[in-house]
Structures are given as structure tokens and as C-alpha cells.
Amino acid sequence: MGGAIWGVLRGKAAGRIDVAGDVPRLKRLAGKTAKSVYDAVFTSTEPDRLITLARTYPGWAGLCYVIAGLLVYKHGGYLRASELLQRGLSIRIDDAASQFSSSYLRRVVTRIEVAERIDVSVLFSEESVFLALSHCFRETGQTAEALDSLASLPPSLPSALARCTAAVALERHADVVAWTEGLRNTDDLSAALLLIRAQSLRTLGEREAAQAALVEVLRRKKTSLALRNDALTDRALSKLEVRRRPNPRPLVPRAVARRGRSKPEEAELDAVDGIRKDIEVRRMWNKDFGEPGDQGREPDG
């Protein structure tokens, strides 16, 4: 369910970690450490409590630093959040902390900005942590690091938006075009990604292809009004640009689409196929933060 967009978040209080639904109940036989971490996660607004627990219980340090980083991120402290998230990801946790993660943190939700004016709510996972870290890097001017931090994530629309946002800032427009080849407007996230694609195509001089991307944004009637307005504005600006330049540059050849696809839906879901899968990073995540039964299982890919 990583990357799911939740319309209503219940069981949340101002300043605390957000939870989708009700806060899970603490088990009766939970140990002292688990009780302390549980209280720090679900009843406190202060990340320092988690940091203190990380120093007190080394086997839980990685988990405590990651959750503290997500809490600081929620409060808008991007520099400190990036430091805490990186520190947490660098520390292996013990079996008790891994069991706690799988039992109590599945409903933890982080609202993350993946592109300008585009926020998504993501359940606690590899995706939520690295998307938050990437946004922290973007906010602190570390754009290259923001792009690199997404390399281990499997393809998804939220990660594609974050990746393309960073790539545009780095003027890697050809990469954006290649990563979004074949994308269709199936929801507002894909529509936002098509707007980024159109921007990169215009920069590369591919005005006809940029117009096609904007037409695709406008094709779905249920696309949000803000995105439709952006598409209409971009289309008007593109037409004005063509009128001012009677001899536009030749089109740059499009990136070759991936072969071996037979189903249209597969082309839509895998339109961001430029995302690399770092097998070792995902294996470490599953070992540390995944469910106990998943440890030792080879990640997909």
C-alpha cells in the first residue's frame, strides 16, 4: 500500500505522527523498551524523546532515528530531518525493533511533497522514508542528492514525480522525457507528471510532443481544475512561442520505448521505467524494517 493517497486521516493530533485509522493498541506483554518507543511515537510531539531512546537502546536506534526524522519532517525542519533520516538508515536494528515496526508502524502516514503543489500521503515504508529524504534535500538545495536518494525505489507515480522534479531542476530534460514515455492520464498524479513532461519537451524544442502531453492532461474530465488550468496556460504559452519563432528547431528524437510490453496498462504503470532498483538497499530495508517473515527473502526485481 506504499504510495496510497488517503483522503481522511483519523486518530491524529496536532504535531503528532499521523496515523491512517486508529492507533494500534499496545500488546499486554510488550516489553519496557517497546512501551517507551510506543509512547514516544504515538503520544508525543517531541522528536527528542525518540532520539533519547535511540541513545539508550542501540538495537532500536535506527528505527527511532527514522521515526524522529519523519516527525521533524512533519514539523518542517528539513535540514534536521535529513540528518536524522540518513542516520537512521545507516544503522541496523535488532529483531525486537523489527517486530515492533511490523506490528505497530504499518498505519503511520507521512504527507510528502513530491512536486510543486503536489502532496501525497504514504504509509511507513521504504518509499515514505526516501521520498521524505528526497524532499528534504530539495528544500536544502541538495538537488543532486535528492535525485540520487530515489534510486533504490521501485517504480511508482509518487517516486516518479519526485524524481522528475529533481531532474528538471538539474536540467536533465532528456531523462524526464525518457522516463515518462507512454504515460497516460489515469489520475491526478499522472496528470501532474505529464505537465512536467510537457515542460521538458518544450525546453528540448519538441513543441508538438509537448502539445500532445498537454492534450492528454486535458483529456480526462475528472482531472483537478488546478492541473487543467496549468495545462491550458502552458498550451497557450507554447502556441505564442511558436508564433514568435517561425522556424522552430527540428524535433529531438524521442526515447525508444521499452520492448516486450503487450498490455496497455503495463505501459501506463511502467512509464517511469528509468527508475533503478538498488537490490542491496532494498534487501537491507526488508531485513531491518520489514516483516520478520520477509527477512532473507530476495526483493523483487
Side-chain angles (χ1 to χ4, degrees):
M1 290 293 293
I5 302 177
W6 294 78
V8 178
L9 301 178
R10 296 177 297 166
K12 69 177 182 179
R16 296 181 188 174
I17 283 285
D18 290 334
V19 178
D22 298 325
V23 174
R25 293 183 178 181
L26 183 66
K27 298 177 182 179
R28 292 182 178 180
L29 299 180
K32 178 182 178 181
T33 304
K35 291 179 181 178
S36 299
V37 174
Y38 179 94
D39 289 340
V41 171
F42 295 111
T43 68
S44 175
T45 63
E46 297 298 330
D48 289 341
R49 285 185 60 181
L50 286 161
I51 294 173
T52 299
L53 290 171
R55 295 168 179 167
T56 305
Y57 305 107
W60 292 65
L63 182 62
C64 289
Y65 281 126
V66 165
I67 299 299
L70 293 178
L71 186 56
V72 174
Y73 174 83
K74 171 183 171 66
H75 297 165
Y78 300 116
L79 180 58
R80 190 185 185 200
S82 68
E83 294 170 350
L84 290 170
L85 291 173
Q86 290 180 87
R87 187 169 185 179
L89 289 169
S90 69
I91 301 174
R92 302 287 290 274
I93 64 176
D94 61 23
D95 291 340
S98 181
Q99 179 64 48
F100 179 92
S101 174
S102 63
S103 298
Y104 299 109
L105 302 183
R106 292 180 179 182
R107 298 178 183 176
V108 168
V109 175
T110 305
R111 191 161 186 82
I112 303 168
E113 180 183 308
V114 293
E116 185 179 359
R117 297 180 299 153
I118 303 295
D119 296 342
V120 295
S121 296
V122 189
L123 291 174
F124 180 70
S125 60
E126 175 187 30
E127 183 175 45
S128 69
V129 173
F130 281 97
L131 284 177
L133 179 59
S134 179
H135 182 213
C136 288
F137 281 142
R138 294 204 316 270
E139 290 290 344
T140 54
Q142 303 175 77
T143 310
E145 290 81 357
L147 184 57
D148 291 342
S149 66
L150 301 170
S152 66
L153 294 182
S156 72
L157 284 173
S159 64
L161 273 167
R163 193 172 188 225
C164 288
T165 297
V168 166
L170 294 170
E171 298 185 354
R172 291 177 54 175
H173 298 289
D175 288 335
V176 172
V177 172
W179 296 337
T180 57
E181 188 71 29
L183 183 65
R184 299 295 302 277
N185 181 5
T186 57
D187 55 28
D188 283 348
L189 291 184
S190 58
L193 193 53
L194 282 164
L195 285 172
I196 296 176
R197 172 179 172 82
Q199 176 185 346
S200 291
L201 286 167
R202 283 180 59 193
T203 302
L204 294 172
E206 297 192 38
R207 296 181 183 85
E208 291 185 7
Q211 287 289 327
L214 296 175
V215 168
E216 180 62 20
V217 174
L218 296 169
R219 177 187 60 80
R220 190 173 63 90
K221 299 302 181 183
K222 293 183 179 180
T223 300
S224 76
L225 183 60
L227 294 175
R228 290 178 64 84
N229 286 340
D230 286 347
L232 289 170
T233 300
D234 287 354
R235 188 169 68 171
L237 291 174
S238 182
K239 289 181 178 180
L240 286 174
E241 187 175 326
V242 170
R243 291 176 181 176
R244 292 174 181 174
R245 297 183 181 182
N247 297 313
R249 288 164 40 190
L251 296 181
V252 178
R254 291 185 178 182
V256 179
R258 287 179 63 185
R259 298 178 180 178
R261 297 244 173 82
S262 59
K263 298 180 181 180
E265 59 269 25
E266 290 179 353
E268 294 176 11
L269 292 174
D270 294 342
V272 289
D273 56 3
I275 297 177
R276 293 183 292 110
K277 298 181 180 180
D278 190 323
I279 300 299
E280 183 59 29
V281 171
R282 295 181 65 193
R283 181 184 294 113
M284 291 177 62
W285 174 269
N286 289 335
K287 180 175 179 57
D288 285 348
F289 299 105
E291 297 185 37
D294 291 339
Q295 295 182 15
R297 183 194 302 174
E298 264 323 289
D300 297 334

